[in-house]
Amino acid sequence: DQQVKQNSPSLSVQEGRISILNCDYTNSMFDYFLWYKKYPAEGPTFLISISSIKDKNEDGRFTVFLNKSAKHLSLHIVSSQPGDSAVYFCAASPDQTGANNLFFGTGTRLTVIP
Amino acid sequence: DSGVTQTPKHLITATGQRVTLRCSPRSGDLSVYWYQQSLDQGLQFLIQYYNGEERAKGNILERFSAQQFPDLHSELNLSSLELGDSALYFCASSAHLDTQYFGPGTRLTVL
């Protein structure tokens, strides 16, 4: 049973435009959400996180939005660059840290076209 | 470079065999996690160790076991291997109540 879902396996965006990646979850006990980015032949790299007590967290070009009532979060990447091309995983944690077992989505492959 | 190392990078073996995957966490991190990523799937949590003790268990098969040693490195043992065990196996580490940092993974191919 996939408790974290990323329904778009892939997304293509022109360089300079905004990329929006979506994630849905089913378990209302999830309290902390993370986005990881993964390049080929590397492990996932932590990108940004958000606690359930917030609805937005911003870090540079990356912003994560959380809609708890809809059990939905999204990652916005402004001014997308070819170097942003990677697989992005959404993950959820049942407590307020990322230090417990994480539940991952299946990932969205972002391609930024020059 | 996350600071988490995993060996080997690639492993090819036959059905029925046993393998050991190794993970060295970031300096100072007490928690180690193991995840499995099968083809086109998300990462599935297997098991977590904290300072040598098992802390949490996910969907880990009985044929799989893990341990964390006094120097905090961890090993994941996979036995009686089946074709379906072919996957990427990731190790992650974290400081207390902190974000998990992932190693580069071990790609296991069972023929």
Side-chain angles (χ1 to χ4, degrees):
Chain A
D1 179 28
Q2 193 73 27
Q3 299 186 55
V4 178
K5 299 177 186 179
Q6 293 176 259
N7 292 319
S8 298
S10 63
L11 174 70
S12 291
V13 169
Q14 290 284 348
E15 183 176 2
R17 306 295 285 266
I18 185 170
S19 299
I20 300 176
L21 296 95
N22 293 304
C23 177
D24 297 292
Y25 61 97
T26 57
N27 190 338
S28 57
M29 299 300 289
F30 288 145
D31 254 347
Y32 193 77
F33 303 88
L34 309 91
W35 285 93
Y36 281 83
K37 172 174 158 178
K38 185 181 180 305
Y39 292 117
E42 295 183 13
T45 302
F46 170 71
L47 199 54
I48 192 169
S49 62
I50 187 167
S51 165
S52 60
I53 60 174
K54 294 186 170 183
D55 55 17
K56 176 182 171 181
N57 188 29
E58 189 173 346
D59 183 1
R61 295 188 298 114
F62 302 89
T63 303
V64 56
F65 294 92
L66 175 63
N67 183 333
K68 276 201 78 175
S69 60
K71 295 192 181 70
H72 176 84
L73 63 155
S74 60
L75 174 68
H76 293 216
I77 307 173
V78 300
S79 303
S80 299
Q81 302 164 5
D84 295 329
S85 297
V87 177
Y88 288 78
F89 289 97
C90 168
S93 171
D95 64 23
Q96 281 289 328
T97 78
N100 278 299
N101 46 302
L102 298 176
F103 293 81
F104 280 84
T106 51
T108 297
R109 182 179 301 278
L110 172 67
T111 302
V112 180
I113 303 164
Chain B
D1 183 359
S2 67
V4 179
T5 60
Q6 289 187 249
T7 56
K9 283 185 82 76
H10 302 276
L11 199 48
I12 301 174
T13 188
T15 54
Q17 294 298 304
R18 172 189 166 96
V19 297
T20 298
L21 313 184
R22 183 188 167 103
C23 169
S24 293
R26 293 186 317 160
S27 177
D29 284 357
L30 298 181
S31 278
V32 168
Y33 313 76
W34 287 97
Y35 291 85
Q36 178 193 56
Q37 185 187 17
S38 301
L39 189 63
D40 293 333
Q41 298 293 312
L43 282 74
Q44 300 289 325
F45 169 72
L46 294 177
I47 197 164
Q48 177 197 357
Y49 278 82
Y50 179 82
N51 201 21
E53 301 285 327
E54 184 184 301
R55 184 74 168 262
K57 224 168 183 175
N59 296 325
I60 188 166
L61 299 171
E62 283 191 18
R63 300 183 285 110
F64 296 2
S65 65
Q67 54 185 326
Q68 186 179 27
F69 294 86
D71 67 353
L72 301 177
H73 91 271
S74 178
E75 292 181 355
L76 179 67
N77 301 297
L78 315 175
S79 61
S80 303
L81 284 167
E82 302 174 359
L83 295 177
D85 297 327
S86 296
L88 270 167
Y89 291 84
F90 289 103
C91 166
S93 76
S94 74
H96 185 56
L97 300 181
D98 196 11
T99 305
Q100 293 178 41
Y101 293 87
F102 283 79
T106 293
R107 181 174 293 280
L108 173 66
T109 303
V110 182
L111 300 175

